[in-house]
Amino acid sequence: MTTKNPRLRATLAGIPAYRAGTAAAATDGAEPHMLSRNESPYPPLPGVMETVAATAASVNRYPDLACTRLVRELSEHFGVPLSHVATGTGSVGVAQQLLQATSGPGDEVLYAWRSFEAYPIITQISGATSVRVPLSSDGRHDLDGMLSAVTERTRLIFICNPNNPTGTVVHRAELERFLDQVPDDVLVVLDEAYREFVSDTRAPDGIELYRERPNVCVLRTFSKAYGLAGLRVGYAIAHDPVAEALRKTAVPFGVSQLAQDAAIASLRAEEQILRRIDVLVRERARVRDALSAQGWTTQDTQANFVWLPLGRHSADFATACGTAGVMVQPIPGEGVRVTIGEREANDVFLKVAADFSRRPGGR
Ligand code: PMP
């Protein structure tokens, strides 16, 4: 046996592990409420469950490679050409394909920070260099700062709208101004993983912005509002060269037939999904109001989570939540992101927040 290890690409060194929002048992041994991954708290809709069960009978077969029916449904749903729809293993899978398609060593990938934690990871894997522009003090994208950071090496720009973890949105007018000034050969990715939860009418629908702009690509997912996080299916809407590049870089048969069929069934159950979104958005308002009443200052979140900028108290707060039976997502030294869940789970979190805010030096 030799003692040599296989040679791995140097760019992989130092890539942080993805924070998976791990579960820990509550003190009473009950299953914790998971408010750490921005998942839907609702079980799959009955029709979706039946579809998945029926498809399970043929998992000895490969899925439809081209996701033909799902692509057709999405193209009709959004009124976009078939060739502009590309699917992948979650929207993070599609984001990684976009990097494969555009960026490598010597190139720059620009995004706001703090934002979705996968951006630095997938950028580093591609070999390109991350250029991060800090969020403004109110947790929003600094689009002027981002424009100033564009260089001739910039290949891709992520705009996370709403932003994970702050929940803030970029408004339509400012985004249009930004897009007008970004060079045409730089791909702008509007990551709209949480778009369905947006109620602020100033926020753009990326799919409207993409139509006239060949360098804009919209990312959406079935993981959040549609409640299919466990099945791994997301998609991009983009003009032909970009969508075609996504088909070239896709993992063959990556989107399972279970995922394809469940996604179609969920799209067709839109009314029920919209009702669930409505309940969740009202619950989000209730949680924010309760936090304000406790004296917390939070951003105007438009996603299915709230962000508490707790700074050095973040880890303590997350531990207190865990002990009370709710798992939340701390970003040490910065803040804690808490997904809006069922009312009961939110109430446990709110109780911890109330106790914490009363603690000497608690906030
Ligand atoms: N984009 C953003 C902003 C996210 O927060 C997430 C999930 N945390 C994703 C993309 C990826 O979601 P998925 O791969 O499940 O579609």
Side-chain angles (χ1 to χ4, degrees), residues 230-266:
L231 284 176
R232 313 306 302 127
V233 52
Y235 56 96
I237 308 279
H239 289 264
D240 279 336
V242 176
E244 197 183 319
L246 287 172
R247 285 186 281 276
K248 287 181 186 166
T249 51
V251 173
F253 304 109
V255 181
S256 72
Q257 200 61 48
L258 299 175
Q260 295 181 38
D261 292 351
I264 293 167
S266 304

Side-chain angles (χ1 to χ4, degrees), residues 18 90-92 116 119 160 164 191 193-194 221 223-224 232:
Y18 195 89
S91 54
V92 74
F116 181 31
Y119 299 156
C160 191
N164 176 4
D191 182 344
Y194 303 98
T221 182
S223 296
K224 312 293 179 182
R232 313 306 302 127

Side-chain angles (χ1 to χ4, degrees), residues 71-350:
V71 165
R72 195 184 322 121
E73 293 270 338
L74 287 167
S75 115
E76 284 166 12
H77 189 81
F78 292 113
V80 301
L82 282 171
S83 64
H84 287 196
V85 182
T87 52
T89 54
S91 54
V92 74
V94 184
Q96 187 151 23
Q97 289 171 245
L98 287 169
L99 281 165
Q100 273 185 294
T102 59
S103 308
D107 297 332
E108 291 175 355
V109 175
L110 179 61
Y111 49 87
W113 199 250
R114 166 102 19 205
S115 191
F116 181 31
E117 67 175 310
Y119 299 156
I121 298 172
I122 58 181
T123 299
Q124 197 169 335
I125 293 170
S126 77
T129 303
S130 278
V131 177
R132 302 172 177 190
V133 174
L135 295 171
S136 61
S137 57
D138 55 355
R140 302 186 67 237
H141 278 64
D142 169 11
L143 291 181
D144 289 337
M146 292 181 75
L147 264 184
S148 319
V150 172
T151 71
E152 73 282 358
R153 287 188 296 279
T154 310
R155 291 289 170 275
L156 185 149
I157 303 174
F158 283 113
I159 303 282
C160 191
N161 207 27
N163 188 49
N164 176 4
T166 52
T168 52
V169 284
V170 167
H171 298 159
R172 183 181 179 118
E174 58 180 338
L175 185 55
E176 281 182 326
R177 261 197 318 275
F178 175 81
L179 293 173
D180 286 345
Q181 291 174 76
V182 170
D184 291 344
D185 62 351
V186 174
L187 182 67
V188 181
V189 179
L190 305 180
D191 182 344
E192 296 190 332
Y194 303 98
R195 178 67 184 87
E196 294 84 354
F197 301 110
V198 172
S199 49
D200 184 341
T201 52
R202 292 168 299 179
D205 177 341
I207 293 175
E208 283 171 23
L209 293 178
Y210 116 95
R211 290 185 199 276
E212 302 299 321
R213 298 176 190 270
N215 68 329
V216 169
C217 170
V218 181
L219 281 187
R220 298 259 178 112
T221 182
F222 285 96
S223 296
K224 312 293 179 182
Y226 286 90
L228 300 180
L231 284 176
R232 313 306 302 127
V233 52
Y235 56 96
I237 308 279
H239 289 264
D240 279 336
V242 176
E244 197 183 319
L246 287 172
R247 285 186 281 276
K248 287 181 186 166
T249 51
V251 173
F253 304 109
V255 181
S256 72
Q257 200 61 48
L258 299 175
Q260 295 181 38
D261 292 351
I264 293 167
S266 304
L267 275 176
R268 291 186 180 165
E270 200 182 14
E271 232 171 80
Q272 294 167 76
I273 299 282
L274 287 176
R275 234 175 288 137
R276 286 180 164 190
I277 292 171
D278 199 47
V279 172
L280 205 109
V281 165
R282 271 186 278 132
E283 188 60 11
R284 175 177 79 196
R286 185 182 77 86
V287 168
R288 265 200 91 206
D289 290 348
L291 288 170
S292 302
Q294 292 174 13
W296 294 87
T297 311
T298 59
Q299 312 296 349
D300 175 16
T301 176
Q302 292 292 309
N304 66 339
F305 50 82
V306 289
W307 169 247
L308 300 180
L310 273 153
R312 64 195 166 86
H313 301 298
S314 304
D316 280 356
F317 184 84
T319 304
C321 285
T323 307
V326 282
M327 300 313 299
V328 298
Q329 185 67 69
I331 298 181
E334 295 185 38
V336 177
R337 191 194 66 201
V338 185
T339 308
I340 305 294
E342 320 81 309
R343 195 182 172 94
E344 180 197 346
N346 302 334
D347 283 342
V348 178
F349 153 61
L350 286 171

Side-chain angles (χ1 to χ4, degrees), residues 47-63 231 256-262:
V48 174
M49 288 272 246
E50 283 154 20
T51 302
V52 169
T55 302
S58 51
V59 292
N60 55 313
R61 305 289 175 194
Y62 283 107
L231 284 176
S256 72
Q257 200 61 48
L258 299 175
Q260 295 181 38
D261 292 351

